[in-house]
Amino acid sequence: TVFGGADLATEWNKNVGSEFSAFVREQKRETWGMGIGAAADGSPTVTRSYSHNDGGDWQAAERARWQVTDGNTVSGGAEFRRITCDFSPQLDAFTGQPLPLSLGKDAAIENTGLYVQDEAELTQRLRLLAAVRLDVNSEFGEAVSPRAGVLYEVDAATTLRASAGQAFRAPSLLELYQPPVYFGNLVFQGNPDLDAEHITSVDAGIEHRAGRTLKMHVDGFYNDMDDLIADRLNGTVDMYVNVDRAWSAGVESGVEWSLDDGLAVFANYTYEQSEDRGTGLDLPYIPDHAANGGIRASRRFGSFLTEISVTENYVGTRGFQDLQTGMWRELDAYFRTDASCRVTVRDRFWVAAGAQNLFDADYQETSVLNPAPGLLWTLESGIRF
């Protein structure tokens, strides 16, 4: 993956500001499997195959903020994003030639988003937020997503909050147009007849500070989902389909303790239940229990700012529909360690390195990829003008 981006922030006066941002990204993914080829006499045979997806996307966005009064701020913006992908046909791994009946596809999706938000401070303790977003998608038309929230400060240490809203997600190009990929007698492919997902969500929570060093929160949430996108097995074909109705609900809690200036330890826990209303089964790959904990540290040495984090993640048991048997299969719980380090020079130039699955834990996250990738290193650098 190759990524580049830029941000330009402007403060026109003390009440009005704007920010323009843009990025471009190119990426390539290779998939290896087994495909149907032809022997010398023309009879079908199984051969090792591979395919590659060459994709790219770019986005430009403009955001503006206007502080109308001391207690009222209006913000809004617009963004445009174009996503493209060239899906190759399945190729013979030995000859590089397309396999019989295997086709590629060049696809693109464009999305324009417009949004506005009003945050009003009714009293010193009570704030209200109202927002609405309009998406215009080249494949799925228009969608309006409203959202409202309220925040109440009980006292200097305790805050109550709640919100409700709707969201829209268009299927990805992979979910729509992935050409058939053979894994032995199983076929994985996209579904061009997918509809977009629509989600209605509500949440409420409380945050409390104990002194200056300890912060705790508990939040409850509920999501009602229409046309949720999930992969399902139909005979020997595994493809993305829309689940007519589904729900998920749970509780998320966390605590953070600041030990020293720039040094903190944290822990979070989530309990979640979900259901496909059509089948009565759990939604795939969603664990009942998940948690993480770790340490964050930042220290400035002259013009250098160093930030380090180490996180231990726990993911509990979860399940999915097995592609081979069609039966529900449960995956074991696992632990995974992630770490990152970032150095910023004069608040302008930065370099960063990250490690996901630092100790190369063996675990499975999807039915197709078993085991999940081991140790993954990332490197990043950038400059701010």
Side-chain angles (χ1 to χ4, degrees):
T1 300
V2 179
F3 177 88
D7 292 276
L8 176 62
T10 304
E11 293 294 328
W12 301 103
N13 56 52
K14 66 177 183 179
N15 296 324
V16 180
S18 65
E19 181 181 0
F20 174 81
S21 63
F23 73 80
V24 61
R25 173 171 51 196
E26 298 289 336
Q27 53 189 340
K28 182 174 182 177
R29 188 186 68 164
E30 293 186 347
T31 302
W32 296 81
M34 302 299 292
I36 306 300
D41 61 0
S43 60
T45 184
V46 176
T47 184
R48 184 164 174 76
S49 67
Y50 81 96
S51 60
H52 58 85
N53 302 341
D54 302 322
D57 63 316
W58 65 270
Q59 176 177 297
E62 176 68 24
R63 294 175 287 275
R65 171 193 55 81
W66 176 31
Q67 186 170 335
V68 183
T69 66
D70 289 342
N72 185 227
T73 301
V74 177
S75 58
E79 62 183 39
F80 177 83
R81 187 173 186 181
R82 176 177 171 83
I83 306 172
T84 63
C85 190
D86 181 11
F87 296 95
S88 81
Q90 272 199 296
L91 307 174
D92 189 303
F94 303 102
T95 67
Q97 296 300 310
L99 297 178
L101 304 179
S102 181
L103 301 175
K105 184 174 181 63
D106 191 4
I109 288 181
E110 296 177 351
N111 193 88
T112 301
L114 303 170
Y115 64 93
V116 62
Q117 173 180 295
D118 187 4
E119 183 175 350
E121 185 177 305
L122 301 186
T123 70
Q124 287 186 334
R125 294 187 175 184
L126 179 63
R127 277 180 280 173
L128 299 181
L129 181 146
V132 63
R133 177 184 172 97
L134 170 66
D135 284 282
V136 182
N137 189 277
S138 60
E139 293 289 326
F140 300 96
E142 301 175 356
V144 177
S145 304
R147 188 164 193 84
V150 57
L151 184 147
Y152 179 72
E153 294 181 357
V154 180
D155 52 38
T158 306
T159 300
L160 302 176
R161 56 177 178 264
S163 67
Q166 294 179 322
F168 156 88
R169 186 183 81 86
S172 68
L173 289 178
L174 177 69
E175 293 167 336
L176 287 167
Y177 302 123
Q178 169 66 56
V181 178
Y182 294 83
F183 297 92
N185 64 335
L186 294 175
V187 183
F188 174 77
Q189 66 183 58
N191 181 2
D193 296 324
L194 287 175
D195 294 324
E197 294 179 345
H198 294 270
I199 301 175
T200 299
S201 63
V202 294
D203 62 83
I206 181 172
E207 180 178 304
H208 179 72
R209 291 181 177 272
R212 300 179 59 184
T213 61
L214 190 64
K215 180 172 66 176
M216 301 167 284
H217 74 271
V218 178
D219 294 276
F221 60 88
Y222 175 82
N223 301 306
D224 190 82
M225 297 163 273
D226 291 328
D227 291 325
L228 184 68
I229 298 171
D231 65 302
R232 289 289 186 270
L233 184 67
N234 183 9
T236 60
V237 179
D238 181 51
M239 66 189 305
Y240 292 104
V241 298
N242 287 111
V243 177
D244 287 337
R245 294 290 300 277
W247 64 265
S248 67
V251 177
E252 192 272 332
S253 60
V255 58
E256 181 173 320
W257 183 22
S258 299
L259 301 174
D260 193 3
D261 184 26
L263 180 64
V265 295
F266 61 90
N268 300 283
Y269 167 75
T270 301
Y271 173 75
E272 184 171 3
Q273 292 286 293
S274 64
E275 181 185 34
D276 179 336
R277 295 185 189 273
T279 65
L281 297 174
D282 293 344
L283 293 179
Y285 309 116
I286 297 180
D288 288 351
H289 307 278
N292 66 65
I295 187 169
R296 286 191 296 264
S298 64
R299 186 71 68 183
R300 186 175 291 277
F301 303 93
S303 59
F304 293 83
L305 174 64
T306 302
E307 299 167 284
I308 298 174
S309 70
V310 179
T311 304
E312 185 70 15
N313 304 277
Y314 169 78
V315 177
T317 56
R318 60 254 178 254
F320 69 97
Q321 187 182 28
D322 188 86
L323 296 179
Q324 299 287 345
T325 65
M327 303 295 290
W328 187 259
R329 177 185 166 195
E330 193 169 89
L331 296 174
D332 293 333
Y334 68 87
F335 287 90
R336 190 192 74 210
T337 306
D338 301 334
S340 67
C341 178
R342 179 185 179 106
V343 178
T344 304
V345 184
R346 298 186 184 278
D347 295 326
R348 292 187 178 275
F349 173 75
W350 73 88
V351 292
Q356 180 176 296
N357 196 8
L358 183 62
F359 299 114
D360 205 18
D362 188 4
Y363 64 94
Q364 182 179 352
E365 278 291 358
T366 71
S367 59
V368 176
L369 198 60
N370 182 25
L375 172 61
L376 174 65
W377 288 100
T378 61
L379 297 174
E380 173 190 331
S381 66
I383 190 169
R384 182 185 298 111
F385 296 97

